[in-house]
Amino acid sequence: DALDEHAVAGETVVALAGDHGWALGEHNIWGKHSNFEVAARVPLILRTPGGAGRRQPHLVELVDLYPTLAALAGLPPPPDVDGADLSGLVLGGGGAGKEAAFSEYPRCPRRLEAPWDDLTSCTRTRKEDFRAMGYSVRTDGWRLTAWLRWDGARLVGDFSQPPVGVELYAHPAGEADSDFDATENVNVADLHPAVVRRLMGLAEAHWGKGPGEPVEGQEPRGR
């Protein structure tokens, strides 16, 4: 109503997004502090002047908002901004979305080698003192979360060591969008080693560089 009142609806892009999901008891969690779909998946709605409403099934990330809004406004994004321009998807001109969406959340168990008998979320822990970082890779058919030992000096997970643990969950085509958690109850990592290797490769390509170190194909960025 305000856009119409000020006669700017025809030249304004509106974005509505959530910054995290929320578990209501799934996996014995009440909150947002996990790498499960119920915490990592969020709504993203974009309205463009004159645009027709459409739903896109493709994977996107919130880091895509900046370059997308810049493109819709006819502006080039700064060269050091993460994310991809999704204006083609928004305007209905085509595009396939992204190969994978990435998220991460740490854990601070007292002993990494023992079964984690709590859901310590590290909210009161200095980042230098995290114990493990969960790096999560979501593709069209899978979610992999690899738990790596935390390098508190470099503030990165240590890809040079085997993961402390690996979770793999299947997300088959056509699963019910109304229950994001329905397919993340059985860890199938041992049944699909090739999928684990492929998604671990995506994770290492995305995160396996120290702060300020360029990923292949990207320009160096400041610390």
Side-chain angles (χ1 to χ4, degrees), residues 184-204:
E184 294 194 346
N185 297 305
V186 179
N187 184 358
V188 295
D190 291 342
L191 302 178
H192 301 278
V195 175
V196 171
R197 287 193 298 271
R198 179 172 66 85
L199 299 188
M200 281 294 297
L202 293 179
E204 186 166 7

Side-chain angles (χ1 to χ4, degrees), residues 17-208:
D19 63 337
H20 57 76
W22 196 267
L24 300 175
E26 296 90 346
H27 306 288
N28 200 31
I29 300 171
W30 188 283
K32 62 182 180 179
H33 303 124
S34 80
N35 289 301
F36 290 115
E37 184 94 349
V38 70
R41 185 170 177 172
V42 300
L44 176 59
I45 301 172
L46 290 173
R47 176 266 185 195
T48 58
R54 61 177 62 86
R55 182 176 182 178
Q56 296 284 4
H58 306 293
L59 287 169
V60 299
E61 300 176 283
L62 292 183
V63 292
D64 303 327
L65 267 176
Y66 195 134
T68 299
L69 292 175
L72 292 172
L75 301 171
D80 60 347
V81 169
D82 289 332
D85 173 12
L86 304 176
S87 58
L89 286 176
V90 175
L91 298 174
K98 310 183 81 166
E99 178 183 15
F102 301 92
S103 58
E104 60 184 284
Y105 200 82
R107 277 284 177 259
C108 296
R110 290 181 292 275
R111 293 178 56 206
L112 287 179
E113 296 76 13
W116 297 357
D117 57 1
D118 58 49
L119 294 174
T120 306
S121 61
C122 306
T123 56
R124 300 181 183 275
T125 305
R126 298 189 320 146
K127 58 182 178 295
E128 293 83 1
D129 297 329
F130 292 166
R131 301 302 310 283
M133 181 59 73
Y135 290 124
S136 198
V137 181
R138 176 68 155 91
T139 65
D140 281 336
W142 304 94
R143 176 181 294 279
L144 172 99
T145 300
W147 295 95
L148 301 183
R149 297 176 186 275
W150 183 245
D151 184 338
R154 299 173 62 241
L155 300 180
V156 294
D158 189 353
F159 278 90
S160 70
Q161 299 188 57
V164 177
V166 176
E167 301 172 64
L168 180 69
Y169 303 107
H171 282 270
E175 68 178 2
D177 283 346
S178 60
D179 188 356
F180 302 153
D181 193 57
T183 52
E184 294 194 346
N185 297 305
V186 179
N187 184 358
V188 295
D190 291 342
L191 302 178
H192 301 278
V195 175
V196 171
R197 287 193 298 271
R198 179 172 66 85
L199 299 188
M200 281 294 297
L202 293 179
E204 186 166 7
H206 186 76
W207 281 294

